[in-house]
Amino acid sequence: MVYMKREALTAFCFEALKRAGASEQDAKVTAETLTETEAWGTHSHGVKNLYNYIMKCEQGGASLTARPTIIRESVSTAVIDANACLGMVSSCEGMELAIQKAKTTGIAMVTVVNSTHFGAAGYYANLAARQGLIGIAMSNVDANMTLPGARCTAIGNSPLAYAVPSNKVPSIFLDIAMSNVAGLKVVKAKNAGTKIPFTWIIDENGRPTDDPSKYPKQGALLPLAMHKGYGLAVMVEVLTGIIAGAPNSATGEIPSWCYDLDKPNKVSHTFIAINPEMFMGDGSIADETEAYASRLRSLPRADDCDRIYTPGEMEWEHYAKAEENGIPIPDDVEAELRKLADKFDLVLPVLEP
């Protein structure tokens, strides 16, 4: 495993995007989004995907030059057409618009349609938390998950995240998809030729399997806690594509962002910002959250448990260590970055041992 400083990795991604044809503004937003996600230790949704994003743009499934446009708007809501631009670009604009509206109205919701993979939902929720607001982010995705009683892919494993300002760490936040495991982990096991837990996927007959060799052409991801993950995935679908009259996973209109590079992804994202001042008066949401989190951390621990974490605490600790020592880059992520370096004649900013 190699290490890279966050600023240097951001600059590397920025330059790759510029050379691919993105504007300075869009390259900056995308590079910062992916690098911060990497610093949290969320390697599956960080810089690893940048090469594929650029390939998708080159093959016509997305655009490095398109700009999001507002197509419907009220004082507390908006719908943005991403025009198939990079998902990080349309998503940052969507959450920033929700934040600005919520500062006045108390709560605001912005939905982005005709977009593509936006990386980690938690990044956008944290955009709100940085400004003292509560942030919620979600997206529908292509159908990759089954549901209780089905023997096929039926619905997307739609990611959902929230973030709340805090004190000990910048925010309390959670970022999850509605499947028991991310599909990329199944693919990774498939490529390594290893077995997987029976709780990850079903086979073509609808039965749990430990063999990932036929995924994703056959089989599907299992929902988180079965009917609970299924129900939450439906909620995300309603609040993203369905509420805006856009495609949803059940109709088959959303292709895979990473397997169908030449096809527009057509996913929808929704961003909700809540202004705590409108509810608390003179109180501090960060102080209240910290007091609550402190009580959770100080609960009596089970045998062999050294510490109780609050949501997002591990990610922020990864981030702090990365700021000091550099971001640890796993081998599979480094391989994707080297593809970018070769393609655009760049030097990968690896720290000396």
Side-chain angles (χ1 to χ4, degrees), residues 21-320:
S23 68
E24 287 202 6
Q25 176 188 348
D26 291 353
K28 181 175 184 291
V29 165
T30 302
E32 289 179 348
T33 301
L34 297 178
T35 305
E36 179 150 326
T37 302
E38 198 71 37
W40 284 336
T42 311
H43 304 297
S44 60
H45 286 64
V47 298
K48 176 181 180 178
N49 296 320
L50 182 54
Y51 181 81
N52 242 22
Y53 292 150
I54 292 174
M55 290 300 98
K56 189 169 186 68
C57 292
E58 287 189 358
Q59 294 186 32
S63 172
L64 286 167
T65 57
R67 296 296 309 153
T69 53
I70 297 174
I71 55 177
R72 284 186 290 279
E73 187 175 18
S74 74
V75 293
S76 60
T77 66
V79 178
I80 295 176
D81 187 336
N83 294 309
C85 74
L86 289 175
M88 287 59 63
V89 173
S90 60
S91 296
C92 285
E93 291 199 15
M95 180 53 93
E96 289 293 348
L97 181 58
I99 290 167
Q100 295 309 312
K101 289 178 177 292
K103 286 180 178 179
T104 301
T105 63
I107 184 168
M109 176 169 146
V110 174
T111 296
V112 177
V113 300
N114 191 23
S115 188
T116 189
H117 192 257
F118 72 172
Y123 180 84
Y124 311 107
N126 271 290
L127 290 179
R130 285 177 183 169
Q131 298 192 44
L133 279 69
I134 298 169
I136 300 172
M138 64 192 79
S139 178
N140 65 6
V141 298
D142 57 294
N144 56 10
M145 188 173 76
T146 190
L147 49 87
R151 61 184 294 174
C152 58
T153 53
I155 191 172
N157 65 341
S158 305
L160 172 67
Y162 71 81
V164 189
S166 190
N167 290 329
K168 181 182 177 183
V169 290
S171 68
I172 304 298
F173 83 95
L174 179 71
D175 183 348
I176 59 171
M178 298 310 154
S179 54
N180 266 333
V181 68
L184 289 174
K185 288 189 176 181
V186 182
V187 173
K188 190 172 182 179
K190 173 184 175 180
N191 293 339
T194 58
K195 298 290 187 180
I196 59 174
F198 279 94
T199 55
W200 283 14
I201 64 172
I202 58 167
D203 62 18
E204 64 273 21
N205 299 311
R207 296 172 180 169
T209 179
D210 63 353
D211 179 10
S213 64
K214 298 178 182 178
Y215 181 87
K217 289 187 176 180
Q218 293 182 13
L221 297 170
L222 279 161
L224 172 72
M226 293 307 284
H227 70 283
K228 298 178 182 180
Y230 167 39
L232 287 171
V234 170
M235 180 201 73
V236 173
E237 291 270 25
V238 169
L239 291 178
T240 54
I242 292 174
I243 199 171
N248 63 80
S249 64
T251 65
E253 296 175 86
I254 301 178
S256 166
W257 78 268
C258 58
Y259 297 120
D260 300 309
L261 295 180
D262 60 331
K263 298 177 182 177
N265 200 196
K266 297 182 181 179
V267 292
S268 299
H269 325 302
T270 287
F271 306 99
I272 300 171
I274 303 168
N275 185 354
E277 291 182 358
M278 300 289 191
F279 299 88
M280 300 182 68
D282 296 331
S284 165
I285 186 63
D287 289 346
E288 292 293 332
T289 303
E290 184 57 45
Y292 173 68
S294 179
R295 286 191 287 271
L296 297 179
R297 296 183 191 113
S298 62
L299 288 169
R301 295 190 296 274
D303 292 345
D304 300 323
C305 176
D306 296 325
R307 179 175 174 185
I308 294 173
Y309 287 88
T310 47
E313 193 172 3
M314 289 184 182
E315 285 83 352
W316 286 121
E317 288 194 358
H318 282 302
Y319 188 88

